[in-house]
Amino acid sequence: MSIHAIHSGPMLFLRAAEGGALRLAVTCLRPADSPAPVIRTTDRVPVEALTTRAGTTLWRSEIVVTESHPRYEVDGTAYEVAIPDEGDMTVAFTSCNGQERGDLDRSEEERNLMWARLHRRMGHEPVHLLLHGGDQIYADEVTESHPLSAKWPDEVPEEISAAERHDLRETLANGFFLRYATQRAQAGYGDVVSRVPSLCMWDDHDICDGWGSLPQKAQNSELATILFEAAREAFLLFQFGCRGDEHPEICSGRTSAFSWRMDLPGLSVIAPDLRSTRTKRQVMDAHSWADLDSLLHSTEAQTLLISSVPALGPRLSWVERAMKLTRRMEEYEDDLRDQWQSYAHRDEWCRFLRALMAVHDGEETSLAVLSGEIHLAMRATMKTDTGHMHQLVASGISHPAPPEKMAIALSWLARLGEAPLKGHPIRMHPLPGQTRPYVAQRNYLLLRRREGQWAAVWDLEDSGETDPLPI
Ligand SMILES: [Fe+2]
């Protein structure tokens, strides 16, 4: 990966949407020895350096764009922003923006093909909001950059001295920073995030593969603590536009997890943090559950709930138990332990589904779940008292699609269905125009409100845009 100082275009982060205006944070990267960017709305606004790493400074401004002035400028380049109102709205949902190995060695054009497609769409369809549902980077290789973490998670040092700790922390933090920064500067991706305000929630690869579900020896080590600190700093900088020591204002009160909610006209978007307090035995701790309960209170007419791993899916717990029989399959067992459907998380899964269903069944409120994680497009429903609650999966936008046979096998498994809550069966269905529930193509999802009705559309790399699915 390049160690040259990086120059990137801006990225927008939504702070609030009120009264025909958007309050945004805008961040850009400049070589540390270059002047600060000049950022303007109607007037020039102050900029603040969030951090400098690897010869590059991340700068931030807080701006407000309005219906009468829906644009901002960075160093003389103007960027138009679509301001949402009570009328038509388009929300894009993406996940899995990378791959485990050699992600940034790929051709920029090929890697960001679906981003470029989303950008071209913006020429004829305003996109008001960009939701990043997890694996915004694939940080798996970051631990290889220091000898003490090179064998993570299989081997962890028994002890780390104070001097080693500092060196390791800096090396990992620089590794995360460079990975995000390199991606930020890429065409396609950069074109979208400079004009559509982002809201992000992380998943495991933003930290490391399987974070929270790894063997105890690794997960409880000092190295794990240092790795998580470095990942969290980068998460705050590049997924919230915050300093490493700030707690994002969109997040609920607690400082050790990052669950958030954002209200727009007629729309609530809610993202529980399913990574910060995950262990092999729990998805979220008691505080995070209390956070989620309060975030689900008094929602707008439509809620989009981001669950970084799918909340509705086939009966994977059977597969997980079968895998316990063979040591060779342990790697996949960690992946299955990450799922809501894991036998270890059954009670929490039921609690989660009951909480979501209560919103969906509320008077004049509806909820749909958005997820990534599996590198396939998929959809499912759960029967509720007021109709079906939808699970929409879009994954990944730049992660290569898995082999077709994986989609076939999972589609076969999907026939088993599942009913963790009695009387509320979960069913998988083909996407509009497709024959199987799982589609092995790179993709992203669009949620469109037209004349007050919400519908979902997948943009699939080979098949193109699906017909709209009312949700
Ligand atoms: Fe992923």
Side-chain angles (χ1 to χ4, degrees):
M1 207 182 328
S2 158
I3 50 161
H4 302 297
I6 291 168
H7 182 291
S8 85
M11 180 167 180
L12 297 175
F13 298 93
L14 183 56
R15 296 288 196 247
E18 345 169 272
L22 294 178
R23 194 155 55 78
L24 304 164
V26 46
T27 66
C28 348
L29 292 156
R30 293 287 180 275
D33 54 7
S34 296
V38 175
I39 301 181
R40 289 175 188 279
T41 50
T42 45
D43 296 305
R44 188 168 172 178
V45 293
V47 290
E48 172 192 3
L50 296 183
T51 196
T52 297
R53 284 199 176 278
T56 301
T57 301
L58 182 67
W59 294 93
R60 173 181 69 185
S61 283
E62 307 277 352
I63 62 170
V64 175
V65 290
T66 61
E67 278 163 1
S68 58
H69 192 86
R71 68 188 67 82
Y72 70 103
E73 265 179 49
V74 178
D75 291 339
T77 303
Y79 300 88
E80 297 284 328
V81 181
I83 312 284
D85 58 23
E86 301 285 344
D88 292 353
M89 193 191 290
T90 299
V91 176
F93 174 84
T94 72
S95 74
C96 298
N97 187 27
Q99 65 182 24
E100 289 79 354
R101 302 212 67 85
D103 180 35
L104 299 172
D105 305 331
R106 292 192 273 173
S107 132
E108 195 173 321
E109 194 184 345
E110 204 286 324
R111 180 191 188 274
N112 298 295
L113 180 140
M114 294 304 286
W115 284 109
R117 209 141 110 178
L118 177 54
H119 179 235
R120 281 199 300 279
R121 171 184 302 281
M122 288 156 53
H124 57 88
E125 177 178 2
V127 178
H128 298 89
L129 183 62
L130 176 60
L131 305 175
H132 305 249
D135 295 349
Q136 273 67 263
I137 57 159
Y138 278 69
D140 307 46
E141 290 163 322
V142 168
T143 44
E144 291 168 16
S145 60
H146 196 284
L148 285 174
S149 56
K151 300 241 166 70
W152 170 266
D154 301 330
E155 289 175 33
V156 292
E158 293 292 332
E159 259 180 274
I160 299 176
S161 70
E164 285 173 336
R165 188 181 209 285
H166 178 76
D167 185 51
L168 176 59
R169 169 80 171 72
E170 287 302 294
T171 304
L172 295 177
N174 287 337
F176 278 102
F177 186 97
L178 270 174
R179 192 154 283 268
Y180 277 107
T182 307
Q183 177 170 297
R184 272 286 295 276
Q186 294 198 341
Y189 179 79
D191 296 321
V192 175
V193 300
S194 60
R195 286 186 43 206
V196 188
S198 286
L199 291 170
C200 312
M201 180 48 70
W202 61 2
D203 200 17
D204 59 336
H205 289 282
D206 306 81
I207 309 164
C208 68
D209 188 16
W211 176 263
S213 301
L214 298 170
Q216 300 287 349
K217 187 169 183 284
Q219 200 71 63
N220 297 335
S221 65
E222 192 182 356
L223 173 54
T225 308
I226 298 167
L227 174 62
F228 185 75
E229 276 174 17
R232 184 179 55 197
E233 176 193 300
F235 178 45
L236 287 162
L237 291 167
F238 288 97
Q239 300 199 36
F240 288 103
C242 283
R243 285 194 317 269
D245 61 355
E246 276 178 304
H247 190 63
E249 64 169 275
I250 68 165
C251 294
S252 44
R254 243 174 114 243
T255 51
S256 58
F258 299 97
S259 301
W260 54 254
R261 167 168 163 179
M262 179 63 66
D263 287 344
L264 295 98
L267 174 68
S268 295
V269 188
I270 299 172
D273 179 351
L274 305 181
R275 282 293 156 192
S276 290
T277 60
R278 179 184 289 269
T279 69
K280 273 190 104 112
R281 307 299 319 172
Q282 78 177 23
V283 180
M284 288 191 286
D285 68 6
H287 292 292
S288 294
W289 276 107
D291 277 352
L292 178 60
D293 289 340
S294 63
L295 293 174
L296 289 169
H297 224 72
S298 309
T299 53
E300 296 286 328
Q302 177 68 48
T303 294
L304 298 174
L305 187 294
I306 299 172
S307 172
S308 51
V309 292
L312 307 181
R315 198 172 301 177
L316 294 176
S317 56
W318 286 10
V319 184
E320 188 183 11
R321 286 210 188 270
M323 281 182 175
K324 273 196 101 61
L325 302 174
T326 146
R327 262 192 78 76
R328 223 161 41 85
M329 299 299 276
E330 265 181 2
E331 191 184 321
Y332 298 98
E333 195 205 325
D334 289 345
D335 287 345
L336 288 173
R337 182 61 69 93
D338 254 1
Q339 304 295 323
W340 281 111
Q341 297 101 305
S342 167
Y343 65 86
H345 305 315
R346 192 88 183 176
D347 291 346
E348 281 183 282
W349 186 28
C350 291
R351 180 176 176 177
F352 193 60
L353 293 177
R354 270 194 298 270
L356 305 193
M357 197 161 61
V359 175
H360 186 66
D361 286 346
E363 231 170 280
E364 295 177 11
T365 57
S366 169
L367 180 146
V369 187
L370 311 179
S371 303
E373 209 269 338
I374 54 176
H375 314 142
L376 296 156
M378 184 275 266
R379 80 178 186 97
T381 56
M382 185 168 83
K383 188 169 171 242
T384 78
D385 296 345
T386 58
H388 285 109
M389 184 169 82
H390 288 270
Q391 164 78 69
L392 311 165
V393 175
S395 159
I397 190 157
S398 74
H399 193 290
E404 186 70 18
K405 61 183 183 230
M406 166 102 95
I408 294 171
L410 278 169
S411 297
W412 181 83
L413 191 65
R415 290 197 219 160
L416 290 173
E418 177 67 292
L421 300 181
K422 203 158 172 267
H424 301 288
I426 293 171
R427 293 276 177 270
M428 266 52 59
H429 312 274
L431 269 49
Q434 297 286 323
T435 53
R436 282 194 300 268
Y438 290 89
V439 180
Q441 298 179 32
R442 289 192 291 190
N443 62 82
Y444 62 86
L445 184 69
L446 294 168
L447 292 311
R448 287 189 181 129
R449 183 174 64 196
R450 298 291 181 268
E451 290 166 11
Q453 291 300 308
W454 284 91
V457 163
W458 285 261
D459 191 350
L460 303 166
E461 181 169 359
D462 303 323
S463 312
E465 198 174 306
T466 66
D467 286 336
L469 171 78
I471 59 168

